[in-house]
mmCIF file with all atom_site columns, all heavy atoms in Angstrom:
data_model
loop_
_atom_site.group_PDB
_atom_site.id
_atom_site.type_symbol
_atom_site.label_atom_id
_atom_site.label_alt_id
_atom_site.label_comp_id
_atom_site.label_asym_id
_atom_site.label_entity_id
_atom_site.label_seq_id
_atom_site.pdbx_PDB_ins_code
_atom_site.Cartn_x
_atom_site.Cartn_y
_atom_site.Cartn_z
_atom_site.occupancy
_atom_site.B_iso_or_equiv
_atom_site.pdbx_formal_charge
_atom_site.auth_seq_id
_atom_site.auth_comp_id
_atom_site.auth_asym_id
_atom_site.auth_atom_id
_atom_site.pdbx_PDB_model_num
ATOM 1   N N   . SER V 1 17 ? -176.109 -59.322 49.511 1.00 98.00 ? 477 SER V N   1
ATOM 2   C CA  . SER V 1 17 ? -176.636 -58.636 48.333 1.00 98.00 ? 477 SER V CA  1
ATOM 3   C C   . SER V 1 17 ? -175.613 -57.658 47.781 1.00 98.00 ? 477 SER V C   1
ATOM 4   O O   . SER V 1 17 ? -174.717 -57.195 48.489 1.00 98.00 ? 477 SER V O   1
ATOM 5   C CB  . SER V 1 17 ? -177.913 -57.861 48.692 1.00 98.00 ? 477 SER V CB  1
ATOM 6   O OG  . SER V 1 17 ? -178.935 -58.722 49.131 1.00 98.00 ? 477 SER V OG  1
ATOM 7   N N   . LEU V 1 18 ? -175.793 -57.350 46.497 1.00 98.00 ? 478 LEU V N   1
ATOM 8   C CA  . LEU V 1 18 ? -174.919 -56.406 45.814 1.00 98.00 ? 478 LEU V CA  1
ATOM 9   C C   . LEU V 1 18 ? -175.710 -55.807 44.661 1.00 98.00 ? 478 LEU V C   1
ATOM 10  O O   . LEU V 1 18 ? -176.567 -56.484 44.063 1.00 98.00 ? 478 LEU V O   1
ATOM 11  C CB  . LEU V 1 18 ? -173.682 -57.131 45.288 1.00 98.00 ? 478 LEU V CB  1
ATOM 12  C CG  . LEU V 1 18 ? -172.315 -56.453 45.268 1.00 98.00 ? 478 LEU V CG  1
ATOM 13  C CD1 . LEU V 1 18 ? -171.955 -55.871 46.624 1.00 98.00 ? 478 LEU V CD1 1
ATOM 14  C CD2 . LEU V 1 18 ? -171.257 -57.441 44.810 1.00 98.00 ? 478 LEU V CD2 1
ATOM 15  N N   . ARG V 1 19 ? -175.441 -54.543 44.336 1.00 98.00 ? 479 ARG V N   1
ATOM 16  C CA  . ARG V 1 19 ? -176.090 -53.907 43.188 1.00 98.00 ? 479 ARG V CA  1
ATOM 17  C C   . ARG V 1 19 ? -175.024 -53.442 42.222 1.00 98.00 ? 479 ARG V C   1
ATOM 18  O O   . ARG V 1 19 ? -174.172 -52.616 42.568 1.00 98.00 ? 479 ARG V O   1
ATOM 19  C CB  . ARG V 1 19 ? -176.947 -52.730 43.632 1.00 98.00 ? 479 ARG V CB  1
ATOM 20  C CG  . ARG V 1 19 ? -177.815 -52.169 42.509 1.00 98.00 ? 479 ARG V CG  1
ATOM 21  C CD  . ARG V 1 19 ? -178.444 -50.848 42.872 1.00 98.00 ? 479 ARG V CD  1
ATOM 22  N NE  . ARG V 1 19 ? -179.535 -50.483 41.975 1.00 98.00 ? 479 ARG V NE  1
ATOM 23  C CZ  . ARG V 1 19 ? -179.845 -49.238 41.649 1.00 98.00 ? 479 ARG V CZ  1
ATOM 24  N NH1 . ARG V 1 19 ? -179.141 -48.233 42.152 1.00 98.00 ? 479 ARG V NH1 1
ATOM 25  N NH2 . ARG V 1 19 ? -180.854 -48.974 40.835 1.00 98.00 ? 479 ARG V NH2 1
ATOM 26  N N   . LEU V 1 20 ? -175.091 -53.965 41.016 1.00 98.00 ? 480 LEU V N   1
ATOM 27  C CA  . LEU V 1 20 ? -174.180 -53.549 39.960 1.00 98.00 ? 480 LEU V CA  1
ATOM 28  C C   . LEU V 1 20 ? -174.820 -52.459 39.114 1.00 98.00 ? 480 LEU V C   1
ATOM 29  O O   . LEU V 1 20 ? -176.036 -52.447 38.912 1.00 98.00 ? 480 LEU V O   1
ATOM 30  C CB  . LEU V 1 20 ? -173.821 -54.731 39.057 1.00 98.00 ? 480 LEU V CB  1
ATOM 31  C CG  . LEU V 1 20 ? -173.254 -55.983 39.730 1.00 98.00 ? 480 LEU V CG  1
ATOM 32  C CD1 . LEU V 1 20 ? -172.876 -57.020 38.676 1.00 98.00 ? 480 LEU V CD1 1
ATOM 33  C CD2 . LEU V 1 20 ? -172.075 -55.642 40.609 1.00 98.00 ? 480 LEU V CD2 1
ATOM 34  N N   . SER V 1 21 ? -173.978 -51.568 38.622 1.00 98.00 ? 481 SER V N   1
ATOM 35  C CA  . SER V 1 21 ? -174.431 -50.506 37.722 1.00 98.00 ? 481 SER V CA  1
ATOM 36  C C   . SER V 1 21 ? -173.588 -50.526 36.453 1.00 98.00 ? 481 SER V C   1
ATOM 37  O O   . SER V 1 21 ? -172.442 -50.970 36.460 1.00 98.00 ? 481 SER V O   1
ATOM 38  C CB  . SER V 1 21 ? -174.306 -49.133 38.384 1.00 98.00 ? 481 SER V CB  1
ATOM 39  O OG  . SER V 1 21 ? -175.082 -49.044 39.558 1.00 98.00 ? 481 SER V OG  1
ATOM 40  N N   . CYS V 1 22 ? -174.164 -50.029 35.386 1.00 98.00 ? 482 CYS V N   1
ATOM 41  C CA  . CYS V 1 22 ? -173.465 -49.904 34.108 1.00 98.00 ? 482 CYS V CA  1
ATOM 42  C C   . CYS V 1 22 ? -173.838 -48.546 33.517 1.00 98.00 ? 482 CYS V C   1
ATOM 43  O O   . CYS V 1 22 ? -175.009 -48.308 33.206 1.00 98.00 ? 482 CYS V O   1
ATOM 44  C CB  . CYS V 1 22 ? -173.861 -51.031 33.176 1.00 98.00 ? 482 CYS V CB  1
ATOM 45  S SG  . CYS V 1 22 ? -173.248 -50.860 31.475 1.00 98.00 ? 482 CYS V SG  1
ATOM 46  N N   . ALA V 1 23 ? -172.844 -47.685 33.373 1.00 98.00 ? 483 ALA V N   1
ATOM 47  C CA  . ALA V 1 23 ? -173.060 -46.374 32.774 1.00 98.00 ? 483 ALA V CA  1
ATOM 48  C C   . ALA V 1 23 ? -172.726 -46.433 31.294 1.00 98.00 ? 483 ALA V C   1
ATOM 49  O O   . ALA V 1 23 ? -171.618 -46.833 30.921 1.00 98.00 ? 483 ALA V O   1
ATOM 50  C CB  . ALA V 1 23 ? -172.188 -45.338 33.471 1.00 98.00 ? 483 ALA V CB  1
ATOM 51  N N   . ALA V 1 24 ? -173.687 -46.052 30.461 1.00 98.00 ? 484 ALA V N   1
ATOM 52  C CA  . ALA V 1 24 ? -173.519 -46.125 29.014 1.00 98.00 ? 484 ALA V CA  1
ATOM 53  C C   . ALA V 1 24 ? -173.355 -44.741 28.410 1.00 98.00 ? 484 ALA V C   1
ATOM 54  O O   . ALA V 1 24 ? -173.949 -43.766 28.883 1.00 98.00 ? 484 ALA V O   1
ATOM 55  C CB  . ALA V 1 24 ? -174.717 -46.828 28.382 1.00 98.00 ? 484 ALA V CB  1
ATOM 56  N N   . SER V 1 25 ? -172.567 -44.654 27.349 1.00 98.00 ? 485 SER V N   1
ATOM 57  C CA  . SER V 1 25 ? -172.400 -43.410 26.620 1.00 98.00 ? 485 SER V CA  1
ATOM 58  C C   . SER V 1 25 ? -171.998 -43.712 25.184 1.00 98.00 ? 485 SER V C   1
ATOM 59  O O   . SER V 1 25 ? -171.585 -44.828 24.863 1.00 98.00 ? 485 SER V O   1
ATOM 60  C CB  . SER V 1 25 ? -171.349 -42.517 27.293 1.00 98.00 ? 485 SER V CB  1
ATOM 61  O OG  . SER V 1 25 ? -170.104 -43.174 27.339 1.00 98.00 ? 485 SER V OG  1
ATOM 62  N N   . GLY V 1 26 ? -172.138 -42.701 24.324 1.00 97.00 ? 486 GLY V N   1
ATOM 63  C CA  . GLY V 1 26 ? -171.725 -42.850 22.933 1.00 97.00 ? 486 GLY V CA  1
ATOM 64  C C   . GLY V 1 26 ? -172.771 -43.420 22.009 1.00 97.00 ? 486 GLY V C   1
ATOM 65  O O   . GLY V 1 26 ? -172.493 -43.649 20.822 1.00 97.00 ? 486 GLY V O   1
ATOM 66  N N   . PHE V 1 27 ? -173.978 -43.662 22.516 1.00 96.00 ? 487 PHE V N   1
ATOM 67  C CA  . PHE V 1 27 ? -175.081 -44.161 21.686 1.00 96.00 ? 487 PHE V CA  1
ATOM 68  C C   . PHE V 1 27 ? -176.399 -43.826 22.387 1.00 96.00 ? 487 PHE V C   1
ATOM 69  O O   . PHE V 1 27 ? -176.405 -43.422 23.547 1.00 96.00 ? 487 PHE V O   1
ATOM 70  C CB  . PHE V 1 27 ? -174.962 -45.666 21.439 1.00 96.00 ? 487 PHE V CB  1
ATOM 71  C CG  . PHE V 1 27 ? -175.103 -46.537 22.675 1.00 96.00 ? 487 PHE V CG  1
ATOM 72  C CD1 . PHE V 1 27 ? -176.303 -47.181 22.957 1.00 96.00 ? 487 PHE V CD1 1
ATOM 73  C CD2 . PHE V 1 27 ? -174.036 -46.714 23.545 1.00 96.00 ? 487 PHE V CD2 1
ATOM 74  C CE1 . PHE V 1 27 ? -176.433 -47.980 24.084 1.00 96.00 ? 487 PHE V CE1 1
ATOM 75  C CE2 . PHE V 1 27 ? -174.154 -47.509 24.674 1.00 96.00 ? 487 PHE V CE2 1
ATOM 76  C CZ  . PHE V 1 27 ? -175.357 -48.140 24.958 1.00 96.00 ? 487 PHE V CZ  1
ATOM 77  N N   . THR V 1 28 ? -177.500 -43.992 21.664 1.00 97.00 ? 488 THR V N   1
ATOM 78  C CA  . THR V 1 28 ? -178.817 -43.707 22.234 1.00 97.00 ? 488 THR V CA  1
ATOM 79  C C   . THR V 1 28 ? -179.265 -44.907 23.051 1.00 97.00 ? 488 THR V C   1
ATOM 80  O O   . THR V 1 28 ? -179.783 -45.887 22.519 1.00 97.00 ? 488 THR V O   1
ATOM 81  C CB  . THR V 1 28 ? -179.837 -43.394 21.126 1.00 97.00 ? 488 THR V CB  1
ATOM 82  O OG1 . THR V 1 28 ? -179.350 -42.304 20.332 1.00 97.00 ? 488 THR V OG1 1
ATOM 83  C CG2 . THR V 1 28 ? -181.184 -43.001 21.728 1.00 97.00 ? 488 THR V CG2 1
ATOM 84  N N   . PHE V 1 29 ? -179.028 -44.828 24.346 1.00 97.00 ? 489 PHE V N   1
ATOM 85  C CA  . PHE V 1 29 ? -179.242 -45.949 25.255 1.00 97.00 ? 489 PHE V CA  1
ATOM 86  C C   . PHE V 1 29 ? -180.678 -46.485 25.161 1.00 97.00 ? 489 PHE V C   1
ATOM 87  O O   . PHE V 1 29 ? -180.886 -47.699 25.143 1.00 97.00 ? 489 PHE V O   1
ATOM 88  C CB  . PHE V 1 29 ? -178.942 -45.491 26.688 1.00 97.00 ? 489 PHE V CB  1
ATOM 89  C CG  . PHE V 1 29 ? -179.071 -46.545 27.744 1.00 97.00 ? 489 PHE V CG  1
ATOM 90  C CD1 . PHE V 1 29 ? -178.093 -47.523 27.900 1.00 97.00 ? 489 PHE V CD1 1
ATOM 91  C CD2 . PHE V 1 29 ? -180.165 -46.558 28.596 1.00 97.00 ? 489 PHE V CD2 1
ATOM 92  C CE1 . PHE V 1 29 ? -178.207 -48.488 28.893 1.00 97.00 ? 489 PHE V CE1 1
ATOM 93  C CE2 . PHE V 1 29 ? -180.287 -47.518 29.590 1.00 97.00 ? 489 PHE V CE2 1
ATOM 94  C CZ  . PHE V 1 29 ? -179.309 -48.484 29.741 1.00 97.00 ? 489 PHE V CZ  1
ATOM 95  N N   . SER V 1 30 ? -181.627 -45.592 25.072 1.00 96.00 ? 490 SER V N   1
ATOM 96  C CA  . SER V 1 30 ? -183.040 -45.989 25.104 1.00 96.00 ? 490 SER V CA  1
ATOM 97  C C   . SER V 1 30 ? -183.479 -46.754 23.864 1.00 96.00 ? 490 SER V C   1
ATOM 98  O O   . SER V 1 30 ? -184.605 -47.238 23.808 1.00 96.00 ? 490 SER V O   1
ATOM 99  C CB  . SER V 1 30 ? -183.930 -44.761 25.291 1.00 96.00 ? 490 SER V CB  1
ATOM 100 O OG  . SER V 1 30 ? -183.714 -43.840 24.247 1.00 96.00 ? 490 SER V OG  1
#
Side-chain angles (χ1 to χ4, degrees):
Chain V
S477 298
L478 215 52
R479 189 192 195 212
L480 306 183
S481 300
C482 172
S485 60
F487 65 100
T488 304
F489 182 76
S490 59

